Amino acid sequence: MSRFEYAPAPESRAIVDIKSSYGLFVNGAFVEATDGKPFKTVSPSSEEVLAEVSEAGPADIDKAVKAARKAFDKVWGPMAGRDRAKYLFRIARLIQERSRELAVLESLDNGKPIRESRDVDIPLVAAHFFYYAGWADKLEYAGAGVDPQPLGVAGQVIPWNFPMLMLAWKIAPALAAGNTVVLKPAETTPLTALAFAEICQQADLPPGVVNIVTGAGRTGQALVEHSDVDKVAFTGSTEVGRSIAKAVAGSDKKVTLELGGKAANIVFEDAPIDQTIEGIVNGIFFNQGHVCCAGSRLLVQESVYDEVLARLKRRMGTLRVGDPLDKNTDIGAINSSAQLAKIRELSQIGEDEGAERWSPECELPAEGYWFPPTLFTGVSQAHRIAREEIFGPVLSVLTFRTPAEAVEKANNTPFGLSAGIWTEKGSRILWMANQLRAGVVWANTFNRFDPSSPFGGYKESGYGREGGRHGLEAYLAH
């Protein structure tokens, strides 16, 4: 069966105006950092330097938190919910108006395919602001009592895999609840957060309500440990999550942590195979596998293992790896050289431990950070590739015979963020979902998100929920 040949269909970069350098966004204005060294943000698909970005040090963090505190005390906290909602609606509409620009900027800075940033990320960003705008004058129904109050200043640290979407997950509920925000984006993907700062200016958001401070781990640590921060929200690695939990232990700070995962995607013999194959591909190769809830462990019932594997390999052979701005691209660039090195290291460990590695024939671009879609068979639960989060386009395939064995293998992990179940039996779906120790369980689909649905994990995947009423409750005093 011959493959279709696709003519390139690149999205234009001309719609994006990237400045040569960016300051910090504090108290409604862009300002120069006072005690940090500037750093460069690089496009992972070409290794091109996109811009120079300021690093916020402790003194800069202090200014941002003070601006947020003043805005909370004087303006945003006392403001009526219906008036806060108007600002959130305005931000949501501006995101929609600038959606094409934001999608291109996200793909340039992050490496993800334009069709994902255009069709998934940015529409969900706007949807979250619309959703929480609707909550702003209805807080008494959020489950935090009859007269819920905001916590104060929220210090928020987000990762590089969904830069704009993670910003929306954090900022939208915080503002709806009446809090003000100091947010630190990941050092490899700061540009859409800085574009969001411009949107805040366009929306005439009162100064200090949203502050964007850029930098690496030192900046995030200064924000988390600042004495005048009332709430810490973090999405990222389990290792950093542990250090944050230790840093805030014994303080009055409220904390939500959304950390790593090693999700099981469980396929039963009665599953709709064509639909299942698409779900498997979406579960692990969406966003290059840079997804904390990725279905990176595929559990297939033995009776259909050969058929599923054959069809999966055939489908993987049609995936197109390349320029993130090409609308035909399925898999873009790995976000950084450091992440690529980690993926390569763990994949090599998988081979060394005896698993069989397979990738389709795939010509990778000469420049940038790339890794082909890969699967491992002959994997046992003891293999590191079945236990550790690779955070890349790498799938481990295991088998099971009975539902009880599937549950045992799925739960045999230190993580507990998500899982997927593929079967035609509704009763089996409900039974499995009740047995699985995962915060989100998808049935005959994978990686589906909605602003009204809570998301979060168990065990080393963190605690607290984001999205829905539960995500709003996390920013309210009980």
Side-chain angles (χ1 to χ4, degrees):
M1 193 174 170
S2 61
R3 287 181 58 180
F4 289 107
E5 293 298 325
Y6 288 85
E11 176 60 276
S12 173
R13 284 186 56 164
I15 194 172
V16 175
D17 180 21
I18 301 177
K19 298 178 177 63
S20 59
S21 63
Y22 289 87
L24 312 174
F25 184 68
V26 177
N27 203 31
F30 285 94
V31 298
E32 292 299 318
T34 59
D35 62 352
K37 295 180 180 178
F39 62 96
K40 293 177 172 59
T41 183
V42 174
S43 180
S45 62
S46 63
E47 302 178 61
E48 166 198 358
V49 174
L50 296 174
E52 188 173 82
V53 181
S54 296
E55 179 191 26
D60 300 303
I61 296 297
D62 189 57
K63 289 178 184 176
V65 172
K66 284 178 177 175
R69 176 62 62 190
K70 182 179 179 181
F72 173 74
D73 290 338
K74 303 292 185 181
V75 182
W76 198 251
M79 187 182 290
R82 64 181 179 274
D83 293 324
R84 290 198 299 265
K86 293 175 185 177
Y87 286 103
L88 288 166
F89 275 124
R90 196 179 299 166
I91 288 170
R93 289 194 296 269
L94 286 167
I95 289 167
Q96 287 185 319
E97 289 172 12
R98 296 179 60 172
S99 60
R100 185 182 175 200
E101 170 197 352
L102 292 169
V104 171
L105 188 58
E106 194 82 312
S107 289
L108 276 173
D109 204 23
N110 170 276
K112 68 176 63 192
I114 186 65
R115 65 184 185 86
E116 291 181 8
S117 54
R118 179 196 64 195
D119 299 341
V120 180
D121 292 38
I122 304 305
L124 270 174
V125 170
H128 273 80
F129 278 96
F130 277 125
Y131 174 77
Y132 282 110
W135 267 112
D137 63 348
K138 306 173 186 67
L139 298 179
E140 63 269 28
Y141 303 107
V146 294
D147 186 27
Q149 297 298 314
L151 297 173
V153 176
Q156 304 175 326
V157 180
I158 60 173
W160 45 260
N161 56 336
F162 292 94
M164 194 69 174
L165 184 57
M166 293 297 99
L167 176 149
W169 279 24
K170 298 288 188 294
I171 291 182
L175 297 192
N179 303 275
T180 54
V181 165
V182 180
L183 178 133
K184 190 200 86 69
E187 65 270 25
T188 61
T189 54
L191 295 186
T192 44
L194 294 166
F196 180 79
E198 296 174 355
I199 288 172
C200 291
Q201 290 179 320
Q202 281 184 275
D204 290 325
L205 192 69
V209 174
V210 169
N211 305 272
I212 308 290
V213 291
T214 46
R218 185 176 79 106
T219 304
Q221 183 179 1
L223 176 58
V224 167
E225 295 179 355
H226 195 284
S227 59
D228 203 26
V229 166
D230 301 297
K231 163 69 189 279
V232 173
F234 172 76
T235 296
S237 71
T238 299
E239 180 184 5
V240 176
R242 282 198 195 100
S243 67
I244 289 175
K246 290 177 182 177
V248 301
S251 73
D252 293 330
K253 295 175 184 175
K254 307 293 184 184
V255 184
T256 50
L257 300 173
E258 195 264 282
L259 310 176
K262 194 68 179 175
N265 210 357
I266 307 165
V267 179
F268 286 92
E269 60 187 359
D270 65 337
I273 296 297
D274 290 338
Q275 180 183 343
T276 301
I277 296 302
E278 291 306 307
I280 295 168
V281 168
N282 181 54
I284 185 59
F285 301 125
F286 173 69
N287 198 32
Q288 297 77 253
H290 297 334
V291 185
C292 50
C293 55
S296 53
R297 289 184 300 146
L298 179 63
L299 273 60
V300 184
Q301 199 156 19
E302 283 186 359
S303 54
V304 291
Y305 171 80
D306 290 338
E307 180 183 4
V308 168
L309 190 64
R311 291 205 192 190
L312 177 58
K313 286 183 175 181
R314 189 180 311 130
R315 179 67 178 92
M316 287 172 63
T318 68
L319 296 175
R320 295 178 294 279
V321 182
D323 180 8
L325 291 186
D326 189 332
K327 301 182 190 76
N328 293 320
T329 295
D330 296 302
I331 299 177
I334 302 303
N335 181 255
S336 66
S337 59
Q339 186 59 33
L340 178 59
K342 178 186 175 184
I343 296 168
R344 285 172 171 167
E345 178 189 4
L346 283 169
S347 297
Q348 186 58 53
I349 288 171
E351 280 192 275
D352 294 344
E353 290 183 342
E356 185 176 343
R357 178 176 180 170
W358 183 87
S359 294
E361 288 186 18
C362 184
E363 185 177 344
L364 301 179
E367 295 180 335
Y369 314 126
W370 306 93
F371 197 87
T374 300
L375 65 80
F376 281 92
T377 53
V379 180
S380 76
Q381 296 183 84
H383 281 116
R384 284 182 63 183
I385 55 171
R387 301 192 63 80
E388 296 184 25
E389 185 178 39
I390 299 174
F391 221 61
V394 180
L395 179 65
S396 297
V397 186
L398 300 91
T399 61
F400 68 92
R401 293 181 179 179
T402 66
E405 184 185 357
V407 168
E408 182 181 355
K409 287 187 173 182
N411 287 339
N412 184 19
T413 172
F415 299 105
L417 191 55
S418 64
I421 306 166
W422 299 85
T423 176
E424 288 189 345
K425 294 183 173 63
S427 58
R428 179 182 286 157
I429 291 169
L430 295 173
W431 181 84
M432 288 287 293
N434 197 44
Q435 302 296 315
L436 294 171
R437 288 293 291 166
V440 178
V441 179
W442 286 291
N444 294 323
T445 188
F446 210 94
N447 278 340
R448 288 296 180 100
F449 300 97
D450 188 273
S452 63
S453 181
F455 181 87
Y458 297 101
K459 301 188 285 188
E460 290 189 13
S461 291
Y463 47 80
R465 294 293 181 267
E466 294 183 301
R469 178 182 62 79
H470 303 74
L472 188 69
E473 191 178 354
Y475 287 94
L476 293 170
H478 293 262

